[in-house]
């Protein structure tokens, strides 16, 4: 579990952001970038307009990032358990 501690929550509330948060390894980030570049090249119409912000609906690889427990735990620390993914 990657919940935020009290100091991190305080910093988030005071500054409006928290960085860095280690989520993906360099290799995982590179694979995600390659997936985005592949979609842009081979399926450009899939990510026009609102598709640009919902690319997790086009790619199972990117969807797995949206459902990454490290991300969800941090978000849950801030807003609670009711998390809706919209326009990522």
């Amino acid at each position: 579990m990657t919940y935020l501690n009290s100091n991190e929550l305080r910093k988030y509330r005071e500054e409006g952001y928290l960085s860095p948060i280690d989520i993906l390894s360099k290799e995982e980030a590179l694979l995600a970038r390659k997936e985005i570049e592949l979609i842009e090249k081979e399926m450009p119409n899939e990510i026009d307009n609102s598709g640009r912000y919902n690319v997790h609906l086009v790619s199972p690889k990117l969807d797995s990032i949206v459902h990454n427990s490290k991300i969800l735990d941090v978000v849950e620390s801030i807003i609670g358990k009711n998390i809706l993914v919209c326009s990522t």
Side-chain angles (χ1 to χ4, degrees):
M1 304 253 172
T2 316
Y3 295 106
L4 299 179
N5 64 41
S6 59
N7 288 335
E8 292 169 322
L9 282 170
R10 179 186 48 74
K11 182 175 178 176
Y12 173 79
R13 289 185 181 116
E14 288 174 0
E15 299 180 16
Y17 73 97
L18 185 64
S19 153
I21 300 172
D22 292 327
I23 303 295
L24 302 176
S25 68
K26 288 182 182 182
E27 294 79 18
E28 290 169 323
L30 181 59
L31 289 173
R33 177 181 175 172
K34 287 181 178 182
E35 179 73 359
I36 292 167
E37 289 173 347
L38 177 71
I39 292 168
E40 287 175 332
K41 180 180 177 185
E42 295 190 7
M43 300 181 287
N45 295 332
E46 291 293 329
I47 55 172
D48 282 350
N49 303 316
S50 65
R52 168 67 62 187
Y53 306 104
N54 292 300
V55 73
H56 64 286
L57 301 176
V58 175
S59 166
K61 290 179 182 179
L62 298 177
D63 185 65
S64 70
I65 294 172
V66 172
H67 292 94
N68 182 310
S69 63
K70 292 178 185 177
I71 296 171
L72 295 176
D73 289 348
V74 169
V75 173
E76 183 179 332
S77 296
I78 297 168
I79 68 170
K81 290 185 181 219
N82 294 323
I83 300 170
L84 172 66
V85 175
C86 181
S87 297
T88 59

